Amino acid sequence: LLRRWGIGALFLAPLLWTGQEYLLSLGELGFTWMLLGHSQAPFTHLIQHAASTGVYGISAWVVLVDVLLFALIRVSTPLRSRLPALGGLLLAFLLPYLHATSVIPSADALRPEIRVALVQPNLKMEEKWGAGGLERSFAILEELSQQAAEQRPDLLVWPETALPCYLRIRPHCRERVAQLVDALQVPLLTGASDYDYERREPYNAAFYLQPNRIAMQRYAKMHLVPFGERTPFRDAIPLLRDIDWTALTGDLGPAEFAPGTERVLFAHPRTPFAVLICFESVFPDLVRRSVADGAQLLVNITNDSWFGDTAGPYQHAQLAVMRAVENRTAVARCATSGISLFIDPFGRSSGATELFVPAVAVGGLPVVADSSFYTRHGDLFARIALLVSILILAVASIRRRAN
């Protein structure tokens, strides 16, 4: 494009970048963790237009700022020739800031409508899955839950795979959880494994139990971590099912969970909510569909302990901030070892726990009934960017051949 149209083609970079980011988000190998727009999640006043464009609009904004900076630095002509780039750069920051000040209400203006308690047990993998792991898990979860219940929450949340048992089909495990829920008189959402004997397939699931009720709702994780929870394309390419990944990679072999097939709206008395299990909080469209189905609260349960003391747990928590802003929906995030926190519909975080400590966090979250443009229309901005990019490249290619 530079060869065809000169330096001005640089201003096509935001669309080209956004288009390729959208392509890289698709399919079983889609990986949206490193989308450029996610880097801006800590800056609340710069990301509010994600409620219209999704995170892809933030990516385009970052690239536009880069192009303007490049133009400002590289132009060696008199100062007046740099004024357009300088003015564009100022507007690039001023317009998002003004928009944010017009849409973000004060924290006091958002009335908490549901009080959520997050239980962070901080059990290592060998402590949970080794000998005596189930009893050890119950002991810490029950102790922390009783502490949380003293603050009168409306919902109690345990993290991903909090219980090392097949909760639905193991009577002892299920009855013990139900007894705790009945004793505390607080609904509980917990992560646990599940197994379908008819299909002979395990699931990474979440279960919702209410006091004095036998039935419980279940959600099975739909987007599994490639090569960590499931071998990609194993259903389409039978050969992949026969590979012994454990023999090749040791402990890095995939668990081969089956993917869930249905989104679930959990029926809490105060507000309907949806669950995002770990990696699912990374995917904008998957989260958007849950909100479009009627979820007025998002609960993200995760186990980030395998990241260790790295940037991973902090980055993963920040991704949930972008999902809250995109859908104008509050998020309660519960992690095994941290970071657990609350996020309001405008991306403001509170109650964050520290890493690798047992903790209880209790906070009130608002419910915003109005859906965002992004919730209603999805990745429209990203698709337009991809379409325009393809057309631009096609025009440039045609003209080049014609010459």
Side-chain angles (χ1 to χ4, degrees):
L1 295 179
L2 287 170
R3 285 196 297 269
R4 298 302 307 161
W5 295 314
I7 197 71
L10 281 175
F11 287 92
L12 298 173
L15 292 176
L16 296 168
W17 183 281
T18 303
Q20 61 88 19
E21 275 197 342
Y22 178 66
L23 280 178
L24 292 173
S25 75
L26 304 177
E28 289 188 55
L29 291 177
F31 189 68
T32 53
W33 187 296
M34 298 299 291
L35 296 183
L36 196 55
H38 282 145
S39 67
Q40 303 305 300
F43 307 107
T44 308
H45 276 73
L46 295 178
I47 62 172
Q48 294 305 312
H49 59 281
S52 297
T53 65
V55 66
Y56 299 103
I58 311 300
S59 292
W61 175 84
V62 173
V63 178
L64 175 62
V65 169
D66 291 343
V67 170
L68 291 168
L69 281 170
F70 179 82
L72 190 62
I73 294 170
R74 288 298 300 268
V75 173
S76 58
T77 50
L79 178 61
R80 63 177 180 272
S81 299
R82 303 185 187 185
L83 289 179
L86 180 60
L89 192 60
L90 292 174
L91 283 175
F93 283 93
L94 182 62
L95 292 178
Y97 182 83
L98 291 176
H99 173 249
T101 56
S102 69
V103 300
I104 300 178
S106 66
D108 296 335
L110 291 176
R111 183 171 60 88
E113 296 186 37
I114 183 168
R115 192 167 171 81
V116 182
L118 310 176
V119 173
Q120 179 175 302
N122 191 43
L123 283 175
K124 297 178 181 178
M125 288 186 64
E126 57 270 22
E127 292 177 317
K128 183 164 64 175
W129 297 102
L134 180 58
E135 184 58 38
R136 195 177 296 113
S137 297
F138 266 122
I140 184 67
L141 289 168
E142 288 171 343
E143 178 186 352
L144 294 176
S145 297
Q146 288 166 359
Q147 294 177 22
E150 294 174 359
Q151 302 185 51
R152 298 180 180 277
D154 300 308
L155 175 65
L156 188 63
V157 181
W158 293 354
E160 178 187 20
T161 57
L163 293 170
C165 68
Y166 291 126
L167 180 59
R168 183 177 59 87
I169 59 177
R170 292 289 183 262
H172 167 71
C173 192
R174 177 172 177 171
E175 288 168 7
R176 186 161 176 178
V177 177
Q179 288 171 3
L180 177 66
V181 171
D182 290 345
L184 298 179
Q185 286 295 294
V186 180
L188 168 69
L189 176 82
T190 181
S193 299
D194 194 18
Y195 192 84
D196 187 325
Y197 277 112
E198 184 177 339
R199 297 185 178 184
R200 297 183 180 180
E201 291 180 324
Y203 296 88
N204 185 351
F207 295 89
Y208 177 56
L209 296 88
Q210 298 185 68
N212 309 315
R213 294 189 185 181
I214 297 176
M216 60 183 180
Q217 286 184 277
R218 165 192 172 273
Y219 166 74
K221 187 175 182 180
M222 298 176 69
H223 198 122
L224 299 167
V225 180
F227 300 107
E229 292 180 312
R230 186 173 177 84
T231 303
F233 310 116
R234 71 188 306 272
D235 294 326
I237 306 175
L239 175 64
L240 295 177
R241 304 174 200 169
D242 301 326
I243 298 176
D244 186 355
W245 295 101
T246 303
L248 294 174
T249 64
D251 291 340
L252 297 179
E256 300 300 358
F257 287 112
T261 57
E262 294 182 0
R263 291 184 295 276
V264 176
L265 198 62
F266 290 91
H268 190 277
R270 285 192 174 272
T271 187
F273 69 91
V275 177
L276 314 171
I277 299 179
C278 190
F279 190 57
E280 292 184 318
S281 67
V282 175
F283 296 94
D285 188 62
L286 185 150
V287 177
R288 177 195 74 82
R289 291 175 184 271
S290 292
V291 179
D293 284 348
Q296 295 181 342
L297 171 70
L298 296 168
V299 180
N300 179 206
I301 58 174
T302 185
N303 176 19
D304 291 346
S305 59
W306 59 276
F307 279 124
D309 189 13
T310 67
Y314 299 95
Q315 291 179 359
H316 201 186
Q318 288 299 323
L319 297 178
V321 170
M322 196 64 73
R323 304 292 85 83
V325 174
E326 286 170 338
N327 297 284
R328 288 288 184 251
T329 304
V331 177
R333 185 178 195 270
C334 184
T336 298
S337 58
I339 299 170
S340 303
L341 77 166
F342 304 99
I343 307 166
D344 80 3
F346 298 89
R348 293 173 293 196
S349 302
S350 62
T353 61
E354 295 182 4
L355 281 177
F356 305 116
V357 293
V360 171
V362 181
L365 288 169
V367 174
V368 177
D370 297 333
S371 63
S372 69
F373 182 90
Y374 178 76
T375 300
R376 296 191 301 272
H377 301 285
D379 295 318
L380 180 63
F381 176 84
R383 293 186 181 117
I384 290 174
L386 177 60
L387 177 61
V388 173
S389 298
I390 293 172
L391 292 175
I392 289 171
L393 291 169
V395 169
S397 176
I398 291 170
R399 289 187 176 182
R400 186 177 181 183
R401 286 199 297 268
N403 292 336

